[in-house]
């Protein structure tokens, strides 16, 4: 096939990129396994049209990236030492962010508070990006973040209108929802490991 | 059991003794690589599937990883597929529609 070598090189590049997301202990073997399939797909006698074989090979290579998310989260379960540290870091960053939100609410005219808040968002982004690899975790983090934002808004409203009891009621509701969500997220990995789901 | 897993086990059980490589299983189970390989890794972790590197018969091809069901895997796969089939029949019977092939 014309341009076969270039196509293979693109496929190998995609597989290589996918394998970079895998832990070291399984990376090399997976990479070898997936790369070995590329020429076989490109020469598949069951597919008559050469462009279709090329598309098939490239889609195979591109889809391995999706597979590595699941594979890396499974092997992450085998090395749980880092996870508590990341959770602690996340908790510390969230605490710092909550403090800065409170400071901003108390002194909205003070520009430095906004800068600190932006810095905290960046700090929170790191542990979140490490932890949020599976879809369920990502979804739960989004829900918790939005509840946290709701809580912040209600506290803001309560600070601006201290006599309005509705704000306190809504803030308490958001807080209760946050506690329930955190409890659910805490239990989720245990439940998943008990049922054997990845 | 998910539909994807059912398809992979079905593909293996078509010829349980035959070693299958990833692309072959992809075609048989009609699954993309991003779905198939995590499933294979899970089955391998549960010792239901064993893998080995073999050199293909065609000249010039690099070694490929072949998968095959273990004895325990064959037993578990047959049992799981039978359960899944029974559940489907049960669901069809309760939905009031005739099961496929039951009308002569």
């Amino acid at each position: 096939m014309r341009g076969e070598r270039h196509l293979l090189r693109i496929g190998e590049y995609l597989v290589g990129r996918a394998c970079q997301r895998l832990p070291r202990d399984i990376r090399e073997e997976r990479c070898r396994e997936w790369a070995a399939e590329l020429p076989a797909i490109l020469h598949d006698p069951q597919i008559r049209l050469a462009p279709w074989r090329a598309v098939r090979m490239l889609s195979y290579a591109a889809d391995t990236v999706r597979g590595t998310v699941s594979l890396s989260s499974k092997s992450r379960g085998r090395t749980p030492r880092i996870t508590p540290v990341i959770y602690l870091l996340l908790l510390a960053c969230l605490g710092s962010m909550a403090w800065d939100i409170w400071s901003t609410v108390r002194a909205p005219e003070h520009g430095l508070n906004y800068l600190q808040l932006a810095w905290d968002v960046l700090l929170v982004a790191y542990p979140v990006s490490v932890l949020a690899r599976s879809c369920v975790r990502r979804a739960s983090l989004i829900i918790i973040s939005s509840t946290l934002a709701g809580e912040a808004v209600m506290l803001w409203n309560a600070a601006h209108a201290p006599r309005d009891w509705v704000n306190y009621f809504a803030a308490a509701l958001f807080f209760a929802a946050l506690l329930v969500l955190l409890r659910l997220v805490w239990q989720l990995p245990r439940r998943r490991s008990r049922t054997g789901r990845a | 059991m998910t539909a994807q897993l059912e398809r992979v086990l079905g593909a293996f059980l078509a010829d349980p003794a035959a070693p299958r490589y990833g692309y072959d299983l992809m075609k048989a189970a009609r699954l993309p690589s991003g779905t198939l390989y995590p499933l294979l890794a899970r089955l391998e972790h549960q010792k239901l599937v064993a893998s080995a590197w073999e050199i293909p018969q065609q000249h010039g091809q690099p070694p490929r990883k072949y998968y095959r069901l273990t004895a325990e895997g064959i037993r578990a796969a047959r049992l799981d597929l039978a359960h899944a089939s029974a559940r489907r029949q049960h669901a069809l019977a309760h939905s009031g529609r005739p099961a496929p092939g039951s009308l002569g």
Side-chain angles (χ1 to χ4, degrees), chain A residues 29-30 32-34 36-37 40-41 44 46-47 56 60 63-64 66-67 70-71 74, chain B residues 21-23 26-27 32-35 37-38 41-42 44 53 61-65 67:
Chain A
E29 194 184 348
R30 290 283 165 197
R32 217 152 54 95
E33 178 186 0
W34 294 341
E37 299 287 348
I41 301 172
D44 185 357
Q46 288 179 351
I47 304 173
R56 197 88 192 265
Y60 168 92
D63 203 46
T64 52
R66 194 167 57 86
S70 174
L71 282 169
K74 269 190 199 108
Chain B
Y21 52 87
Y23 181 54
M26 263 176 67
K27 285 196 290 184
S33 54
T35 307
Y37 285 110
R42 203 174 90 193
E44 205 174 2
W53 286 90
Q61 293 268 6
R64 291 164 93 175
K65 199 174 180 183
Y67 295 89

Side-chain angles (χ1 to χ4, degrees), chain A residues 8-166:
Chain A
L8 276 175
R9 208 171 287 167
I10 295 170
E12 280 164 6
Y13 170 76
L14 289 170
V15 166
R17 292 289 299 175
C19 290
Q20 277 176 9
R21 301 170 68 156
L22 291 172
R24 249 180 229 170
D25 55 333
I26 58 168
R27 188 183 299 163
E28 198 188 327
E29 194 184 348
R30 290 283 165 197
C31 205
R32 217 152 54 95
E33 178 186 0
W34 294 341
E37 299 287 348
L38 300 177
I41 301 172
L42 216 50
H43 296 125
D44 185 357
Q46 288 179 351
I47 304 173
R48 266 204 273 162
L49 295 170
W52 184 237
R53 287 200 297 268
V55 169
R56 197 88 192 265
M57 187 273 285
L58 290 175
S59 67
Y60 168 92
D63 203 46
T64 52
V65 178
R66 194 167 57 86
T68 52
V69 176
S70 174
L71 282 169
S72 58
S73 64
K74 269 190 199 108
S75 50
R76 205 172 56 234
R78 290 205 300 268
T79 52
R81 277 184 206 167
I82 305 169
T83 316
V85 179
I86 299 289
Y87 274 117
L88 276 176
L89 185 67
L90 179 65
L91 207 66
C93 293
L94 283 174
S96 167
M97 198 163 88
W99 177 256
D100 282 334
I101 288 172
W102 180 243
S103 305
T104 313
V105 167
R106 287 177 66 186
E109 73 285 348
H110 203 34
L112 197 65
N113 286 334
Y114 294 98
L115 202 66
Q116 278 179 335
L117 198 58
W119 174 242
D120 283 326
V121 170
L122 285 176
L123 276 180
V124 165
Y126 171 68
V128 167
S129 69
V130 173
L131 291 169
R133 284 199 183 157
S134 83
C135 257
V136 178
R137 272 193 189 157
R138 202 176 302 153
S140 56
L141 274 170
I142 289 169
I143 294 167
I144 288 175
S145 310
S146 53
T147 314
L148 202 62
E151 176 73 14
V153 169
M154 287 308 146
L155 286 175
W156 169 281
N157 288 343
H160 275 85
R163 288 184 186 175
D164 196 354
W165 63 271
V166 177

Side-chain angles (χ1 to χ4, degrees), chain A residues 87 137 140-141 144 180-189:
Chain A
Y87 274 117
R137 272 193 189 157
S140 56
L141 274 170
I144 288 175
V180 171
L181 283 169
L182 285 173
R183 172 88 181 156
L184 282 175
V185 169
W186 180 256
Q187 280 180 338
L188 189 69

